[in-house]
Coordinates of all heavy atoms in Angstrom, one line a residue:
I115 N -27.7 81.6 88.5 CA -26.4 81.6 87.9 C -25.4 80.7 88.7 O -24.6 79.9 88.2 CB -25.8 83.0 87.7 CG1 -26.6 83.7 86.6 CG2 -24.3 83.0 87.5 CD1 -26.2 85.2 86.5
L153 N -26.9 94.5 88.5 CA -26.2 93.4 87.9 C -24.7 93.6 88.0 O -23.9 92.7 87.8 CB -26.6 93.2 86.5 CG -28.0 92.6 86.3 CD1 -28.3 92.5 84.8 CD2 -28.1 91.3 87.0
Q154 N -24.3 94.8 88.4 CA -22.8 95.1 88.5 C -22.2 94.3 89.6 O -21.0 94.1 89.6 CB -22.7 96.6 88.8 CG -23.0 97.6 87.6 CD -22.9 99.0 88.0 OE1 -22.5 99.3 89.1 NE2 -23.4 99.9 87.1
S155 N -23.0 93.8 90.5 CA -22.5 93.0 91.6 C -22.3 91.5 91.2 O -21.9 90.7 92.0 CB -23.4 93.1 92.8 OG -24.7 92.5 92.5
I156 N -22.7 91.1 90.0 CA -22.5 89.8 89.5 C -21.2 89.6 88.8 O -21.0 90.1 87.7 CB -23.6 89.3 88.6 CG1 -25.0 89.4 89.3 CG2 -23.4 87.9 88.1 CD1 -26.2 89.1 88.5
P157 N -20.2 88.9 89.5 CA -18.8 88.8 88.8 C -19.0 87.8 87.6 O -19.8 87.0 87.5 CB -18.0 88.1 90.0 CG -19.0 87.5 90.8 CD -20.3 88.2 90.8
D158 N -18.0 88.0 86.7 CA -17.9 87.2 85.5 C -19.0 87.3 84.5 O -19.1 86.5 83.6 CB -17.7 85.7 85.9 CG -16.6 85.5 86.8 OD1 -15.5 86.2 86.7 OD2 -16.7 84.6 87.7
F159 N -19.8 88.4 84.6 CA -20.9 88.6 83.6 C -20.9 90.1 83.2 O -20.6 90.9 83.9 CB -22.3 88.2 84.1 CG -22.6 86.7 84.2 CD1 -22.2 85.9 85.2 CD2 -23.3 86.2 83.1 CE1 -22.4 84.6 85.2 CE2 -23.5 84.8 83.1 CZ -23.1 84.0 84.1
D160 N -21.1 90.3 81.9 CA -21.3 91.6 81.3 C -22.7 91.8 81.0 O -23.5 90.9 80.8 CB -20.5 91.7 80.0 CG -19.0 91.9 80.2 OD1 -18.6 92.5 81.3 OD2 -18.2 91.4 79.4
K172 N -21.9 85.8 79.9 CA -20.6 85.3 80.7 C -19.4 85.9 80.0 O -19.3 85.9 78.8 CB -20.7 83.8 80.6 CG -19.5 83.2 81.3 CD -19.8 83.0 82.7 CE -18.8 82.1 83.4 NZ -18.8 82.2 84.9
K173 N -18.5 86.5 80.8 CA -17.2 87.0 80.3 C -16.4 85.9 79.8 O -16.4 84.8 80.2 CB -16.5 87.8 81.4 CG -17.2 89.0 81.8 CD -16.4 89.7 82.9 CE -17.1 90.9 83.4 NZ -16.4 91.6 84.5

Side-chain angles (χ1 to χ4, degrees):
I115 288 170
L153 291 178
Q154 292 174 7
S155 66
I156 299 178
D158 301 325
F159 281 85
D160 284 330
K172 182 86 171 168
K173 290 181 184 177

